[in-house]
Amino acid sequence: MQENTFNFFKNEKKIDDKMILITGGAGFIGSNFIRFMRNKYPNYKIINFDKLTYAGNLNNVSLMEDNPDYVFMKGDVANQKDVKNVFEEFNPDYVIHFAAESHVDRSILNPDVFLQTNIIGTQYLLNFSRLNNVKKFIFISTDEVYGSIDKDHCTEESPICPNNYYSVSKAAADNLVKVSYQTHGQRINIVRCCNNYGQFQFPEKFIPLMISNAINNKDLPIYGDGNYFRDWLHVDDNCRAIDLVLHKGRIGEIYNVGGNNEWRNIDLAEYLLELIGKPKSLLSYIMDRPSHDYRYAVNFNKIRSELCWHPLIDFKIGIKQTVDWYLSHQDWLNEIISGEYLKYYDLNYKNRDAQE
Ligand code: NAD
Ligand code: TDX
């Protein structure tokens, strides 16, 4: 442990209370998921285990601070002692594993930490979950494990074919989780979701980066010709999917989660400029991301038919709310876009000559 910042729950655990260990709960999806669970299941006990890397921000969960059924514990999933500690202290019934190094561009600059956190960290959590008879371990995987596809949609049976250090590390972890089921009958689910958007997303990712730069009248860096496709889903819809998998997902199963909402990068950047009221002259075409996946798209018929899930938030409404959230949370944004962020920004974007 680098620093001991946790307190025990202020309410005693009753026999039928669910104790849920959430890793990466100070990041984008994890923090939204914690808020979602707090609202839907106020009696569940939530442990937020997070290393607080550059992407982890306790302001994202400040609403939870005084909640008697919530604790934060600082720790590293890739440190065996930290993982042992959290299991010994809390003996969780369920584990939902969000923690990861999550940004493709950073994985190109520094792959090693992706292998440590995403692969080794997942194996440690699997080991301790098995030892402690955890009732279900949910791995938050990604549609990127299927690699790039030109047309159609990947089903859960499609081959895994990752093309960058981030997705290779997620694919390895995803396979480890599958193997734990095949070998030990470990009670797991895997969720492979498309690109999420919404409040509290770190402004290195496409949508918040474009919004943040537009607000600050900075160029919007478009990789290559901007002719790449991503499928966007509101984070609250993803939280609903994970909740259903937690309560109703069949043990050992993988579930794709998609948005049915594909956008070309350049079209989306232009749409964001329109919403914020900034000119298209801010668009700046720069050198492409190496090994850039052209398109991700998942078939999510399985979760639709088995768990009755489908996206509920209309993109035009969700993205408008998201833009408004960033406009009204510029303090949150400004705190991030200094220090480490500026160094990363320089490293990734400086000297990336414009494309012809
Ligand atoms: P994020 O980068 O916003 O948050 C990651 C969190 O994990 C941070 O709080 C960070 O401090 C924590 N963390 C990192 N390394 C850690 C370690 N070694 N030990 C403990 N905590 C650590 O990521 P996100 O966008 O919220 O993604 C969450 C999960 O969802 C990831 O597993 C990611 O692969 C997956 N996913 C994300 C998307 C997306 O669009 N954002 C889509 C599909 C899947
Ligand atoms: O500055 C940029 N310019 C640009 O054109 C950035 C940051 C991105 N892009 C492009 C690259 C992609 O085609 O926008 C698209 C989206 O990029 P990211 O937001 O970096 O997401 P992506 O690479 O698609 O990966 C995301 O989706 C799957 C998440 O970061 C992963 O965590 C998730 O698993």
Side-chain angles (χ1 to χ4, degrees):
M1 254 0 189
Q2 295 169 348
E3 181 186 319
N4 208 353
T5 50
F6 73 92
N7 296 303
F8 285 98
F9 293 111
K10 295 184 189 93
N11 283 344
E12 289 281 300
K13 182 179 189 282
K14 293 187 213 77
I15 193 84
D16 52 354
D17 281 347
K18 282 190 168 60
M19 176 87 79
I20 304 188
L21 172 62
I22 291 177
T23 70
F28 164 49
I29 306 179
S31 65
N32 278 288
F33 186 73
I34 287 176
R35 260 188 312 281
F36 175 95
M37 294 299 276
R38 193 253 345 232
N39 291 335
K40 190 157 179 197
Y41 308 103
N43 59 321
Y44 285 13
K45 304 223 174 284
I46 293 175
I47 307 134
N48 178 1
F49 181 74
D50 197 298
K51 186 181 175 183
L52 297 182
T53 66
Y54 77 90
N57 184 348
L58 286 179
N59 290 335
N60 298 358
V61 277
S62 55
L63 259 180
M64 301 295 296
E65 264 165 25
D66 297 324
N67 191 306
D69 293 312
Y70 166 85
V71 293
F72 172 72
M73 187 170 184
K74 185 170 174 173
D76 181 350
V77 294
N79 178 320
Q80 208 162 177
K81 240 174 84 197
D82 287 359
V83 178
K84 185 166 182 265
N85 277 346
V86 74
F87 277 87
E88 277 179 4
E89 294 291 357
F90 297 107
N91 191 22
D93 303 306
Y94 298 88
V95 176
I96 309 183
H97 178 30
F98 292 91
E101 287 293 338
S102 68
H103 191 40
V104 174
D105 294 315
R106 289 189 191 247
S107 80
I108 296 167
L109 295 169
N110 178 20
D112 299 18
V113 67
F114 283 73
L115 310 189
Q116 278 300 325
T117 288
N118 298 359
I119 306 177
I120 304 296
T122 300
Q123 185 57 40
Y124 287 165
L125 287 164
L126 281 168
N127 293 345
F128 282 97
S129 296
R130 204 168 68 250
L131 276 172
N132 288 274
N133 298 315
V134 160
K135 295 188 182 106
K136 186 179 270 189
F137 178 98
I138 300 185
F139 178 62
I140 306 302
S141 187
T142 167
D143 61 357
E144 288 205 35
V145 299
Y146 297 116
S148 186
I149 54 163
D150 290 348
K151 53 183 169 49
D152 300 330
H153 294 78
C154 295
T155 71
E156 289 81 356
E157 278 74 47
S158 298
I160 299 285
C161 193
N163 293 311
N164 60 62
Y165 294 106
Y166 162 72
S167 53
V168 163
S169 68
K170 291 296 288 188
D174 182 307
N175 274 324
L176 289 170
V177 178
K178 213 162 55 179
V179 164
S180 77
Y181 170 68
Q182 291 165 357
T183 312
H184 304 290
Q186 189 154 356
R187 300 172 64 83
I188 60 98
N189 281 126
I190 296 172
V191 180
R192 295 181 183 151
C193 189
C194 64
N195 287 55
N196 283 218
Y197 72 95
Q199 60 182 4
F200 294 110
Q201 187 167 28
F202 194 87
E204 64 191 355
K205 305 284 166 45
F206 186 78
I207 287 183
L209 180 82
M210 298 299 147
I211 296 173
S212 162
N213 283 15
I215 292 174
N216 293 301
N217 299 310
K218 278 181 71 176
D219 281 354
L220 274 55
I222 305 295
Y223 293 154
D225 58 6
N227 197 15
Y228 293 88
F229 287 83
R230 293 294 184 268
D231 180 22
W232 295 97
L233 178 75
H234 194 281
V235 64
D236 289 349
D237 274 330
N238 189 19
C239 291
R240 233 173 8 88
I242 297 165
D243 173 26
L244 282 167
V245 171
L246 173 68
H247 290 94
K248 298 186 177 153
R250 283 185 298 130
I251 295 296
E253 294 297 318
I254 300 167
Y255 293 96
N256 284 345
V257 174
N260 205 11
N261 175 44
E262 286 187 52
W263 282 75
R264 216 160 57 112
N265 290 344
I266 186 63
D267 296 338
L268 183 49
E270 286 184 5
Y271 187 61
L272 290 168
L273 283 172
E274 198 184 306
L275 284 178
I276 299 166
K278 294 291 168 86
K280 282 190 191 168
S281 55
L282 285 179
L283 295 169
S284 165
Y285 292 90
I286 62 166
M287 192 170 78
D288 210 346
R289 173 187 279 175
S291 193
H292 192 170
D293 283 334
Y294 169 65
R295 174 176 174 265
Y296 306 126
V298 290
N299 171 322
F300 55 95
N301 286 344
K302 182 171 170 181
I303 192 166
R304 193 199 292 272
S305 60
E306 279 187 23
L307 308 182
C308 294
W309 179 91
H310 62 96
L312 290 180
I313 300 173
D314 177 79
F315 183 70
K316 295 258 164 113
I317 296 172
I319 197 66
K320 171 85 175 67
Q321 282 171 351
T322 302
V323 165
D324 289 345
W325 186 86
Y326 280 94
L327 284 168
S328 61
H329 287 77
Q330 290 188 46
D331 288 352
W332 179 89
L333 207 47
N334 290 335
E335 223 175 275
I336 292 172
I337 55 179
S338 61
E340 190 278 343
Y341 181 82
L342 292 180
K343 272 197 207 135
Y344 159 73
Y345 201 92
D346 249 22
L347 205 59
N348 192 49
Y349 292 101
K350 217 169 150 183
N351 305 324
R352 272 179 109 130
D353 296 337
Q355 301 284 286
E356 283 307 304

